[in-house]
């Protein structure tokens, strides 16, 4: 499943596992354990603290939470292409079915029916692509982390590259008795 999703998204890490800690020392201790997980690289684990929310460092917070800026742009393109194409194909299948059934409205205006059905299904596919590209699950986690940092707490953000690595990271963070959040 990870392989199929990776083709639609331009990012290497599709999931974020985040833990919020009361102090910096606890957060740094967990980072050491996370880096010992199989396949985990130093760039996949990031520490965010209250200082990262300052106005002149706002970009730093964004890069810690979403480090693959180029991948996000590729995700935007890929999701729209894939879902728009899928919507168009479904529209063609629906059009062929309705034409084959001899529906009177289809037979009387086949060109207008084709434009309406395929056009709307492609449009709905593109809208679905926009929803997928917005990543509402990431927005929820980022908002909660930002709130925690404003209250003086620290966050460890893990960017696993597959489902197994995400599960291992989540287990390691939960073992530290921290508040753990995960995107889809």
């Amino acid at each position: 499943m990870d392989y199929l999703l990776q083709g639609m998204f331009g990012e290497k890490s599709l999931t974020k596992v985040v833990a919020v800690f009361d102090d910096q020392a606890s957060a740094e201790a967990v980072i050491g354990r996370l880096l010992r997980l199989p396949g985990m690289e130093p760039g996949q684990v990031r520490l965010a603290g209250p200082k990262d929310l300052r106005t002149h460092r706002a970009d730093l917070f964004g890069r810690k939470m979403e480090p693959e800026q180029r991948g996000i742009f590729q995700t935007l393109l890929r999701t729209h292409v894939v879902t728009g194409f899928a919507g168009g194909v479904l529209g063609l299948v629906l059009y062929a079915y309705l034409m084959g059934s001899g529906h009177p409205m289809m037979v009387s205006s086949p060109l207008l029916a084709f434009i309406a059905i395929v056009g709307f299904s492609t449009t709905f596919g593109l809208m679905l692509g926009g929803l997928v590209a917005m990543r509402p699950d990431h927005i929820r986690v980022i908002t909660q982390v930002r709130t925690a940092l404003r209250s003086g707490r620290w966050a460890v953000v893990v960017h696993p590259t597959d489902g197994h690595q995400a599960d291992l990271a989540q287990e390691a963070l939960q073992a530290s008795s921290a508040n753990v959040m995960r995107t889809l």
Side-chain angles (χ1 to χ4, degrees):
M1 183 68 172
D2 286 338
Y3 182 75
L4 293 174
L5 287 174
Q6 206 68 30
M8 188 166 170
F9 293 92
E11 301 154 272
K12 292 178 186 172
S13 174
L14 302 179
T15 303
K16 294 187 187 338
V17 183
V18 178
V20 176
F21 296 90
D22 291 328
D23 57 74
Q24 184 177 2
S26 301
E28 287 175 347
V30 170
I31 289 175
R33 288 196 298 265
L34 289 168
L35 291 175
R36 287 191 289 276
L37 293 175
M40 191 70 71
E41 297 177 14
Q44 291 178 263
V45 181
R46 308 222 175 186
L47 178 65
K51 66 180 190 281
D52 294 327
L53 288 179
R54 293 190 187 129
T55 309
H56 67 285
R57 299 188 76 168
D59 188 45
L60 180 62
F61 175 75
R63 290 187 190 275
K64 285 186 179 185
M65 294 301 294
E66 297 284 354
E68 300 179 62
Q69 299 296 319
R70 184 169 182 234
I72 292 172
F73 180 72
Q74 289 177 352
T75 295
L76 187 68
L77 288 175
R78 288 180 184 180
T79 56
H80 280 84
V81 168
V82 169
T83 58
F85 182 75
V89 168
L90 288 174
L92 285 172
V93 169
L94 179 61
Y95 174 77
Y97 171 76
L98 291 174
M99 283 299 286
S101 70
H103 194 279
M105 290 184 73
M106 299 294 291
V107 175
S108 67
S109 301
L111 180 62
L112 289 176
F114 176 83
I115 292 170
I117 292 172
V118 175
F120 277 115
S121 61
T122 302
T123 301
F124 288 134
L126 290 169
M127 289 171 61
L128 178 63
L131 178 65
V132 170
M134 283 182 4
R135 308 291 295 267
D137 58 326
H138 286 216
I139 293 169
R140 179 185 58 84
V141 169
I142 290 169
T143 302
Q144 290 178 351
V145 168
R146 185 172 283 148
T147 302
L149 297 183
R150 282 187 185 130
S151 65
R153 300 174 78 196
W154 291 78
V156 174
V157 184
V158 183
H159 304 280
T161 55
D162 59 29
H164 178 67
Q165 206 176 48
D167 292 338
L168 290 175
Q170 186 171 2
E171 289 172 12
L173 291 171
Q174 286 174 337
S176 67
S177 302
N179 179 18
V180 178
M181 300 167 273
R182 181 177 174 172
T183 61
L184 300 178

